[in-house]
């Protein structure tokens, strides 16, 4: 059976870019403006406060891990009142070595290892919309270990570095997302996969993409009536089932077209269309250009 979470991560094509050590002591605070790219951090020792725009403020302690798939604005600080220093990550040069905030000398109150990466997929916005805006995981040692490995690999210029970083970031994403409590997750893929009734239907869609699915067939795999399945899927995943299926088919089709290994008729068959013309019409309506033009444009880029 297909693993939808692994498929989403693979389609996102994550690529590590940068990681750094961060520490703070005394009275300190930094305000990062909206970044848009995914970022992460692990608390190595001590504690601090994280306030992400649109989310309740968090107290982070040693062993905590945070992932922001689209990194809105946020403030990282100690616990004393302070006017935070403002940083725009889009224009501020990436620092070398550990970044120290607050009191310069002496031991820090908190030490973190953080970083950011990019999603190379043109479908990143669609995939990210299926994930929680903030992932906070406490006490999962494997995540801290993976973050340390990312940090070590980023600092070295060893052979195979880019491939190793890519695989580490993929592992980091999967481990973080599957460690998240589904009860706290907003509507999206994680909540859908955690729903015992909906998960079989989602796996069926991903595992047998070429089938001409109907809501009634998917409802049967979920052991629900058609109307109950439609309402539950829409409420839990955030999209009606056939809209989710169409988005996923188009995302997979774009990935196949970018690789240019299959004819358009073969791509159409892979993603559940009976003919190239039917697929081309649906693709053009969804993407805004024909499959052939999309493939050529991807190659030129």
């Amino acid at each position: 059976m297909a693993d939808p979470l692994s498929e989403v991560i693979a389609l996102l094509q994550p690529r590590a870019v940068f990681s750094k050590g961060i520490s703070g002591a005394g009275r300190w605070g930094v305000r990062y403006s909206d970044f848009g790219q995914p970022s992460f951090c692990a608390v190595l020792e001590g504690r601090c406060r994280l306030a992400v725009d649109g989310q309740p403020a968090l107290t982070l302690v040693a062993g905590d891990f945070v992932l922001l798939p689209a990194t809105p604005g946020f403030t990282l600080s100690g616990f004393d009142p302070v006017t935070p220093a403002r940083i725009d990550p889009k224009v501020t040069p990436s620092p070398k070595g550990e970044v120290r905030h607050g009191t310069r000398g002496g031991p820090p109150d908190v030490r973190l290892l953080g970083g950011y990466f990019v999603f190379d997929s043109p479908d990143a916005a669609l995939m990210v919309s299926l994930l929680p805006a903030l992932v906070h995981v406490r006490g999962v040692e494997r995540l801290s270990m993976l973050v340390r490995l990312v940090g070590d690999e980023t600092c070295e210029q060893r052979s195979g570095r880019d491939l190793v970083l890519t695989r580490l970031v993929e592992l980091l994403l999967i481990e973080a997302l599957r460690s998240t409590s589904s009860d706290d997750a907003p509507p999206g893929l994680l909540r859908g996969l955690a729903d015992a009734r909906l998960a079989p239907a989602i796996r069926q869609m991903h595992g047998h993409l070429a089938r001409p699915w109907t809501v009634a067939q998917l409802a049967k795999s979920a052991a629900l009536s058609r109307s109950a399945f439609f309402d539950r899927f829409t409420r839990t995943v955030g999209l009606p089932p056939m809209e989710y299926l169409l988005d996923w088919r188009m995302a997979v089709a774009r990935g196949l077209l970018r690789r240019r290994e299959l004819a358009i008729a073969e791509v159409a068959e892979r993603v559940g269309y009976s003919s190239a013309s039917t697929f081309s019409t649906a693709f053009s309506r969804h993407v805004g250009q024909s499959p052939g033009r999309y493939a050529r444009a991807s190659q030129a880029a």
Side-chain angles (χ1 to χ4, degrees), residues 227-268:
S227 60
F229 171 74
F230 182 91
D231 292 344
R232 185 162 171 165
F233 192 102
T234 304
R235 186 174 63 253
T236 304
V237 179
L239 291 171
M242 301 314 288
E243 186 176 335
Y244 175 89
L245 180 60
L246 175 62
D247 284 349
W248 182 246
R249 280 175 165 159
M250 292 299 132
V252 171
R254 279 182 283 206
L256 294 172
L257 290 167
R258 284 193 297 271
R259 293 201 291 271
R260 302 204 70 177
E261 296 171 355
L262 300 173
I264 290 175
E266 293 175 290
V267 174

Side-chain angles (χ1 to χ4, degrees), residues 11-235:
L11 202 62
L12 281 169
Q13 301 170 39
R15 175 170 52 85
V17 173
F18 174 72
S19 71
K20 63 181 176 181
I22 306 165
S23 63
R27 189 187 296 270
W28 68 279
V30 284
R31 167 69 186 176
Y32 288 84
S33 58
D34 174 27
F35 183 43
Q37 300 289 356
S39 64
F40 61 90
C41 79
V43 183
L44 305 180
E45 62 180 71
R47 56 201 291 268
C48 65
R49 185 176 185 271
L50 173 67
V52 177
D53 292 357
Q55 304 287 335
L58 297 172
T59 295
L60 303 181
V61 300
D64 280 11
F65 174 87
V66 172
L67 169 69
L68 299 171
T71 311
F74 69 90
T75 301
L76 192 66
S77 68
F79 295 95
D80 294 326
V82 66
T83 300
R86 293 188 172 270
I87 297 175
D88 185 346
K90 294 177 182 176
V91 299
T92 304
S94 298
K96 292 185 166 84
E98 184 173 282
V99 178
R100 181 65 174 257
H101 299 296
T103 306
R104 297 297 174 185
D109 297 326
V110 65
R111 286 182 60 245
L112 310 96
L113 187 59
Y116 68 87
F117 48 98
V118 296
F119 292 136
D120 279 342
S121 171
D123 300 304
L126 165 65
M127 300 296 108
V128 168
S129 71
L130 298 173
L131 305 177
L134 182 152
V135 175
H136 176 214
V137 181
R138 177 156 287 174
V140 178
E141 177 57 30
R142 287 167 57 148
L143 282 168
S144 297
M145 179 183 68
L146 285 167
V147 171
R148 289 190 185 96
L149 288 172
V150 169
D152 291 345
E153 198 65 35
T154 302
C155 295
E156 302 292 336
Q157 292 295 329
R158 291 180 284 199
S159 299
R161 172 180 178 272
D162 289 346
L163 180 60
V164 169
L165 281 171
T166 296
R167 295 295 175 259
L168 284 173
V169 170
E170 288 176 349
L171 289 170
L172 193 65
L173 281 167
I174 292 173
E175 190 66 38
L177 292 170
R178 70 183 184 182
S179 299
T180 303
S181 169
S182 59
D183 295 336
D184 298 331
L189 183 61
L190 291 186
R191 275 186 57 186
L193 292 173
D195 188 305
R197 291 291 184 91
L198 297 182
I202 294 172
R203 292 194 172 97
Q204 289 283 359
M205 281 190 265
H206 281 255
H208 304 283
L209 198 58
R211 285 189 186 173
W213 291 110
T214 64
V215 173
Q217 290 171 327
L218 293 168
K220 186 176 181 181
S221 70
L224 292 168
S225 70
R226 186 184 181 282
S227 60
F229 171 74
F230 182 91
D231 292 344
R232 185 162 171 165
F233 192 102
T234 304
R235 186 174 63 253

